[in-house]
């Protein structure tokens, strides 16, 4: 039977590509020409399920044997473009044979799908001028959904996505050097759990404030439908301020900053208001109790805040700058007090043995904000040590702040900037971007990830590659960089081996079961919207991934299951990188 042969062929190419439903549809319905809506999309055709900008490259991928493709309009199935697929290329990271369908020449907006004779049809997608604006809105608004200490309600747009105020009480843990209540209400839940961690809060909030500083004109008008909307301050700043409020409360009277505020152990999969575990401010367990990485991170973030909020709230900007300078002074006195979980505490550790890069970052941000000589000389004394951090992407993570230190210096417009330092940072960043672009072009999935990048949070690494390319483009405009940055976004939104959009409730085929307590409390058919999954992780640190076949290629070590915290958790740090990448696409 012809259709059996077809299936056998498909099996040989990409058995794991096809869902049972798609295989059934192919068996029963192939090869009749079918109207949209009566044929299941096949996972063998990979598109960005949000879409493609009208004036940019437009490429879909096919992991099944075929010759040609048609681009059809969903409203009437009319063919608007057709072309030939490129020859298949083997991708060792997924085990797929991949062909490309390039329809960049299409210059009309609309909603389309790809039809590949012998294979089937793709999920639908849009082509238009500002195609990622709604995805930016959802991704940025997801921070509101992570708010702690207040009632949250996504409103009629996402009816039932709400919870009463959570974590309204806190106390000092024995390790903090203090005793008694310390409520510290506010902030964002860090990830799938309800902890709040200074170090990860720092990098996430900084990325959002940079998003504002770099892409502000395109974001200013976008309302996030949060309680502060319409107060005269742009909503991205309103949302970031919710977390800044908590970060500032974590500073002790001496200027030092406690490392985290969490329960001793993770709660069950319950809604945040049902979590009654004592919420504790946790320190290093011995004098001076606060950690240098947390303190320097606050200094850096509060210094950015002093710049960003100044036009909207001078008093808050002054308060932030004062906190930053006090934190800086503390970190000078205690240059490397590191953190380990004290006995009996098993929540996230965010341990980092070297806080030197955090201190240089703080100096750079404080100098950029104030121009003061003490920060400038500290930066100039130390920046060269951090230059190699720009050479081997992915360049940054919550524990590697060298790139942010260097980039903020190079992005500053201060007249007293050292031209040699700026030149070195620019040259190194642009050279690294060139390497990333070359790798992205050579990769059959057009993603910047290398085989070794499929680790915990690999989707965040893809977003960070995008961020790095966009920063290179700010330093020296180059469409190669912005195209490769967008390729990483296409990967996250469905142009990947699973044909899965890794952002909840975005695209026709998005992941369903994040490791995210509010989504897993049993009340919602769909997870909370706009959240990025951690993504494939060949290190397999959870029991779900451990049982995948030993020969599974690295980019396929992923499971859309709640229990797979090592591949399917959400987290504010990679969420912030996604927001930056999306913001860079807006006009
Ligand atoms: Zn909470």
């Amino acid at each position: 039977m012809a259709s059996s042969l077809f299936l056998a062929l498909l099996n040989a190419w990409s058995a794991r590509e096809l869902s049972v439903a798609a295989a059934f549809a192919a068996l029963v319905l192939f090869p009749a020409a079918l109207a949209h809506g009566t044929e299941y999309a096949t996972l063998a055709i990979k598109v960005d399920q949000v879409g493609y900008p009208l004036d940019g490259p437009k490429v879909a991928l096919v992991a099944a044997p075929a010759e040609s493709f048609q681009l059809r309009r969903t409203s009437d199935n009319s063919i608007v473009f057709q072309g030939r697929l490129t020859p298949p290329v083997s991708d060792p990271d997924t085990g797929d044979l991949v062909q490309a369908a390039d329809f960049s020449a299409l210059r009309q907006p609309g909603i389309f799908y790809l039809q590949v004779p012998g294979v089937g049809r793709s999920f639908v997608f849009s082509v238009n001028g500002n195609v990622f604006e709604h995805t930016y809105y959802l991704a940025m608004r997801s921070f509101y959904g992570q708010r702690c200490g207040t009632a949250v309600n996504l409103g009629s747009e996402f009816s039932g996505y709400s919870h009463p105020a959570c974590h309204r009480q806190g106390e000092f843990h024995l390790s903090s050097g203090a005793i008694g209540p310390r409520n510290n209400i506010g902030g964002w839940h860090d990830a799938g759990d309800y902890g709040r961690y200074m170090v990860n809060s720092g990098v996430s909030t900084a990325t959002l404030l940079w998003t504002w500083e770099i892409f502000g004109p395109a974001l200013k008008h976008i309302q996030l439908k949060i309680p502060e909307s319409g107060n005269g301050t742009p909503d991205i700043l309103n949302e970031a301020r919710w977390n800044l409020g908590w970060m500032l409360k974590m500073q002790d009277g001496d200027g030092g900053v406690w490392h985290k505020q969490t329960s001793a152990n993770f709660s069950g999969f319950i809604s945040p208001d049902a979590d009654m575990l004592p919420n504790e401010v946790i320190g290093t367990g011995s004098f001076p109790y606060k950690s240098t990485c947390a303190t320097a991170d606050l200094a850096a973030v509060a210094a950015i805040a002093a710049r960003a909020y100044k036009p909207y709230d001078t008093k808050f900007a002054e308060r932030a700058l004062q906190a930053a300078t006090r934190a800086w002074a503390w970190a000078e006195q205690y240059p490397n007090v590191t953190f380990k979980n004290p006995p009996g505490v098993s929540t996230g550790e965010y341990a980092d043995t070297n806080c030197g890069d955090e201190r240089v970052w703080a100096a750079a941000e404080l100098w950029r904000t104030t121009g003061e000589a003490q920060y400038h000389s500290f930066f100039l004394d130390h920046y060269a040590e951090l230059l190699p951090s720009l050479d081997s992407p992915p360049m940054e993570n919550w524990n590697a702040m060298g790139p942010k230190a260097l980039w903020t210096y190079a992005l500053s417009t201060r007249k007293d900037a050292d031209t040699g330092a700026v030149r070195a940072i620019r040259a190194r960043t642009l050279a690294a971007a060139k390497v990333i672009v070359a790798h992205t072009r050579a990769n059959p999935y057009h993603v910047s990830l290398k085989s070794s990048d499929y680790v915990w949070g690999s989707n965040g690494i893809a977003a960070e590659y995008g961020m790095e390319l966009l920063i290179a483009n700010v330093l020296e405009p180059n469409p190669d960089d912005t195209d490769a940055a967008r390729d990483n976004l296409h990967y996250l939104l469905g142009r990947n081996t699973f044909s899965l959009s890794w952002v909840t409730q975005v695209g026709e085929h998005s992941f369903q079961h994040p490791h995210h307590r509010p989504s897993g409390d049993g009340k919602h058919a769909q997870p909370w919207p706009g959240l990025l999954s951690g993504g494939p992780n060949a290190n397999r640190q959870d029991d779900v991934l451990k049982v995948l076949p030993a020969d599974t290629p690295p980019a396929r070590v992923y499971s859309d299951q709640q229990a797979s915290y090592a591949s399917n958790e959400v987290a504010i740090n990679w969420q912030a990188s996604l927001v930056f990448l999306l913001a860079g696409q807006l006009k």
Side-chain angles (χ1 to χ4, degrees), residues 112 166 212 309 459:
F112 306 102
C166 56
W212 166 252
Y309 292 87
N459 281 347

Side-chain angles (χ1 to χ4, degrees), residues 136 212 215-223 232-236 311-312 586:
Y136 164 82
W212 166 252
F215 305 115
L219 308 177
K220 210 167 188 166
H221 69 283
I222 300 177
Q223 288 226 349
T233 300
D235 269 355
I236 184 172
Y312 302 101
L586 305 187

